[in-house]
Amino acid sequence: MTSAVEEQVQEQHCSTRNNDIDNDVTDTSHTASKPRTHVRTVADLFVECLVNEGVKTMYGIPGEENIPLMEAIARDGRIRFILTRHEQGAGFMAATQAHLTGRPGVCLATLGPGALNLTLPVAQANASTVPLVAICAQGNVTRLYKESHQIVDLVSVFRPLTQWTSMVVEPASVPEMVRKAFSIAQRNRPGATCLILPEDVAEMPAPEDAHPLPLPDPMDFAPTEDTIVRAVDIIRSAKHPIILAGNGVARGHAENRLLELAEQLNVPVATTFEGKGVISDRIPLALGVVGFMRHDYENFAFDEADLIIAVGFSIQQFDPKKINPNDDKTIIHINTFIEDTDAHYSTALNIMGNIDATLKALIAALREHRITFGVSHPKIHELLTDEYDAYLHDDSFPMKPQRIVADTRRAMETDTDIALVDTGALKMWMARLYPTYYSNTCVIDNSLSTMAWTLPGAVSASLEHPGRPVLAVMGDGSFMMNVQEIETAVRVGARIVILVWVDEAYGLIKWKMDIHDGAHEYVDFNNPDVVALGMSFGAKGHLIESADELYPVLRAALRSGSGIDIIACPVDYSENMKLIDKLGEVDFSG
């Protein structure tokens, strides 16, 4: 809540404003036929600052308290406002746009219930180090100190979910506050910020001398020479190093440098779910993803490793206990921020700096010392390839997860087609088996692991990359959580395909229950007619009724070039426990 001083200041502002309004009413009663001249308001200044930050699109839902801001957006005309059907959808659209572009996404909600609906995507963006600026309306400052209609202490709500949250209480502060929100969202550890604009403040006259602040040049910081020397010494003493790559590699555009480091050292690279694609699966040194809930093939490479070179990794992407259960491995941490404390992620060296510049300096130093290893894990490649190939022609129906993954990859004909993978049992299968060749072409949230983000996310991905095939891969549980955004997709002319894996259950929780106690409960449900539901929104609907139908239907939908396609594909998740049993029998000792 605001301080007593701020409340007093605002009462003075509001008193002045109300007197001005009273005078305006009196004056215009004698000149009703004359058009009123618009006075530049705080809302207008706010929009000018957003435009200055490069904002071209905003997603959200208007409310009574943000009418002044909506009118300012319309007057300015340089920001495209995408009206969504739920604030969650708005936040996920903004976060996905930011993930794919690296530029802050912007979403808008009104006060109270609207703002509370925005908390989930804001928290998701912050956990996944995605730059996002949320803008929320608030009631008049003069009633924030008491119980009042729809009033919630939004600063207290958003502060633990963001890098920074604040409320505008002084018109002249707008340029600084907007600049600060965008600056913090893009700093060394990107994340979410939130600005709260009370209705009465938005309607105040903007100070004549208040204008957007100039944008600073981007700051890149390289590691010091002695830090690189220490890294080389640690690597020289290792016998079985391995590289762990996270989503920071893509954020820092360091994919090529990562490959160069791996080839220079001749060591394997495993990625997190969120780092999937930062090294092409066609590269022999690529091991695949690590972070599955059980000891997967890639984990055996970490079992043998004595050094982990973690590049762009944060512990929110998965529990480091999975790869360092005894905390006995040496870890070099390379990222733009220092990692949080974890008993299984004790770092011998933290290198904070531009990831691409850091890798470039490290590669040069390693080349000078002619350090190379020759660590390889052909059995891991063999096991993954065998698992993928074994189901290419499996005709059973409902379809096996492995066959759905393989047919999806075949239908996504170019390496740069975008797949957004939702949370659920399908995430485990897609992350493990879906071959990926470029970063941000198989996008997975494995930090907050939010359900239902991919349908709205696909909308903004399509608008950001028109003409590029975009596929949202969802379970039927997550599909129903944000299904209303199909209407948004149709209305704004997005071009997306939604592939729904249908099992009429919360499949991932069922899987974990079966692992835990051999049984499950309270996870099964009934679906509406998914195809008819999609068609009722104006989408094209397709029901898969045999295993040989998915590939041609999906391929045709991805290449049709217009409209929204919903594909419902029944899946047989009995493979889940078979995989757990199989992994428990894998033996690398030979």
Side-chain angles (χ1 to χ4, degrees), residues 242 268-270 281 284-290 295-305 375-388 432-433 582-583 586-588:
I242 188 171
V269 181
D281 282 328
L285 290 171
L287 288 181
V289 300
V290 65
H295 205 78
D296 210 343
Y297 309 133
E298 295 82 1
N299 288 80
F300 288 97
F302 285 91
D303 293 343
E304 297 178 6
V375 180
S376 64
H377 294 279
K379 190 169 183 177
I380 292 176
H381 283 282
E382 179 184 342
L383 288 166
L384 282 170
T385 300
D386 288 349
E387 186 177 332
Y388 185 86
R432 294 179 66 255
L433 295 180
K582 179 181 179 181
L583 293 178
V586 174
D587 182 11
F588 271 69

Side-chain angles (χ1 to χ4, degrees), residues 400-436:
K400 298 288 195 299
Q402 300 94 323
R403 173 72 189 270
I404 298 177
V405 172
D407 282 2
T408 300
R409 178 69 270 183
R410 289 173 59 210
M412 303 280 278
E413 291 184 339
T414 70
D415 293 352
T416 56
D417 291 357
I418 300 171
L420 309 177
V421 181
D422 221 292
T423 295
L426 64 94
K427 179 173 76 173
M428 300 301 171
W429 291 104
M430 286 289 289
R432 294 179 66 255
L433 295 180
Y434 182 79
T436 308

Side-chain angles (χ1 to χ4, degrees), residues 90-102:
F92 289 139
M93 289 179 197
T96 302
Q97 175 190 306
H99 184 105
L100 294 175
T101 65

